[in-house]
Amino acid sequence: MTKEEKNQFIDVLDKSIQENSNFYLADISGLSAEESSNLRRLCFKREVSLQVVKNTLLKKALERNDSSFEELYDVLKGNTSIMFTDTSNAPAKVIKEFRKKHDKPVFKAAHLDASFYIGEEYLDTLSELKSKNELIAEIVALLQSPAKNVISSLQSGGSKLSGIVKTLAERAE
């Protein structure tokens, strides 16, 4: 890779980091070609972009960014892959699902909306996070619940009331 190609790659990587506030770092070394292909397919299905990167180039891209990513520098050792996504918990779910059959990928770190999660112990927590859309759906359901209860009470009350009026009308005759 020439110096110009490296600089272009760093620019592309920097742009991706700026556009995606959610990304994960993982180690996928040791996977066979078939396993790696299966992991990439799973990522594609879950709308996660997976890219193997050189640590030095990733570090340079992180240094160029306006945000401070110094906490991630220590995990930039060995094989590193970066996973970009719009849904904050998608890569963690992909990693956990794929590790049911394989021992890789190894979770290194994650950056989610200006927060850093470094180390394997955060993987379960990250996979259980609710996405923005899931939270909005829960809030809407909670807001709709009281209105639905009032409407169903009024409807059931109305049918009871009409039954009473009908019974009274029949008695009067």
Side-chain angles (χ1 to χ4, degrees), residues 18-33:
Q18 288 177 10
E19 292 173 353
N20 297 289
S21 61
N22 303 321
F23 63 88
Y24 284 58
L25 300 177
D27 178 1
I28 64 168
S29 65
L31 292 177
S32 68

Side-chain angles (χ1 to χ4, degrees), residues 22-27 71-76 80-83 91 95 106-112 115-120 122-123 126:
N22 303 321
F23 63 88
Y24 284 58
L25 300 177
D27 178 1
E71 293 182 46
L72 297 177
Y73 295 166
D74 291 338
V75 298
L76 297 180
T80 303
S81 298
I82 190 163
M83 302 169 94
I95 290 171
V106 175
F107 173 76
K108 287 183 167 187
H111 176 264
L112 306 175
S115 297
F116 295 97
Y117 302 91
I118 299 172
E120 188 72 30
Y122 287 108
L123 185 61
L126 292 171

Side-chain angles (χ1 to χ4, degrees), residues 25 53-60 62 69-81 108-109:
L25 300 177
V53 294
K54 291 188 88 157
N55 291 323
T56 54
L57 300 180
L58 177 57
K59 186 174 180 181
K60 287 181 181 182
L62 293 172
F69 291 104
E70 290 180 27
E71 293 182 46
L72 297 177
Y73 295 166
D74 291 338
V75 298
L76 297 180
K77 295 177 181 135
N79 186 301
T80 303
S81 298
K108 287 183 167 187

Side-chain angles (χ1 to χ4, degrees), residues 28-145:
I28 64 168
S29 65
L31 292 177
S32 68
E34 181 183 355
E35 292 167 339
S36 179
S37 180
N38 290 339
L39 176 61
R40 289 178 185 277
R41 271 192 220 100
L42 181 61
C43 286
F44 182 77
K45 287 180 189 175
R46 303 288 190 272
E47 297 180 2
V48 174
S49 168
L50 174 69
Q51 185 175 14
V52 177
V53 294
K54 291 188 88 157
N55 291 323
T56 54
L57 300 180
L58 177 57
K59 186 174 180 181
K60 287 181 181 182
L62 293 172
E63 288 171 347
R64 284 187 186 179
N65 200 289
D66 295 336
S67 302
S68 174
F69 291 104
E70 290 180 27
E71 293 182 46
L72 297 177
Y73 295 166
D74 291 338
V75 298
L76 297 180
K77 295 177 181 135
N79 186 301
T80 303
S81 298
I82 190 163
M83 302 169 94
F84 291 109
T85 183
D86 291 329
T87 308
S88 59
N89 63 355
K93 288 182 177 182
V94 166
I95 290 171
K96 284 190 75 167
E97 183 178 340
F98 196 76
R99 287 194 344 194
K100 288 178 182 175
K101 296 180 182 175
H102 310 282
D103 60 341
K104 297 278 181 162
V106 175
F107 173 76
K108 287 183 167 187
H111 176 264
L112 306 175
D113 297 320
S115 297
F116 295 97
Y117 302 91
I118 299 172
E120 188 72 30
E121 65 272 8
Y122 287 108
L123 185 61
D124 289 332
T125 304
L126 292 171
S127 68
E128 293 169 5
L129 281 178
K130 295 191 186 273
S131 69
K132 182 179 177 182
N133 291 338
E134 290 170 333
L135 288 174
I136 290 171
E138 280 187 15
I139 291 171
V140 169
L142 287 172
L143 291 173
Q144 286 179 342
S145 181

